[in-house]
mmCIF file of all heavy atoms in Angstrom:
data_model
loop_
_atom_site.group_PDB
_atom_site.id
_atom_site.type_symbol
_atom_site.label_atom_id
_atom_site.label_comp_id
_atom_site.label_asym_id
_atom_site.label_seq_id
_atom_site.Cartn_x
_atom_site.Cartn_y
_atom_site.Cartn_z
ATOM 1 N N ILE A 8 1.205 -1.434 38.183
ATOM 2 C CA ILE A 8 0.158 -2.192 37.477
ATOM 3 C C ILE A 8 0.472 -2.270 35.989
ATOM 4 O O ILE A 8 0.345 -3.320 35.366
ATOM 5 C CB ILE A 8 -1.211 -1.519 37.710
ATOM 6 C CG1 ILE A 8 -1.670 -1.722 39.149
ATOM 7 C CG2 ILE A 8 -2.264 -2.073 36.721
ATOM 8 C CD1 ILE A 8 -2.931 -0.954 39.514
ATOM 9 N N ILE A 93 20.049 2.753 -13.574
ATOM 10 C CA ILE A 93 20.585 1.931 -12.470
ATOM 11 C C ILE A 93 19.463 1.135 -11.912
ATOM 12 O O ILE A 93 18.430 1.680 -11.521
ATOM 13 C CB ILE A 93 21.234 2.810 -11.382
ATOM 14 C CG1 ILE A 93 22.433 3.575 -11.907
ATOM 15 C CG2 ILE A 93 21.636 1.953 -10.180
ATOM 16 C CD1 ILE A 93 23.029 4.533 -10.895
ATOM 17 N N VAL A 330 -5.349 9.373 10.221
ATOM 18 C CA VAL A 330 -5.793 10.055 11.443
ATOM 19 C C VAL A 330 -6.984 10.965 11.148
ATOM 20 O O VAL A 330 -7.971 10.993 11.890
ATOM 21 C CB VAL A 330 -4.633 10.885 12.050
ATOM 22 C CG1 VAL A 330 -5.116 11.837 13.159
ATOM 23 C CG2 VAL A 330 -3.566 9.946 12.617
#
Side-chain angles (χ1 to χ4, degrees):
I8 290 173
I93 295 176
V330 168

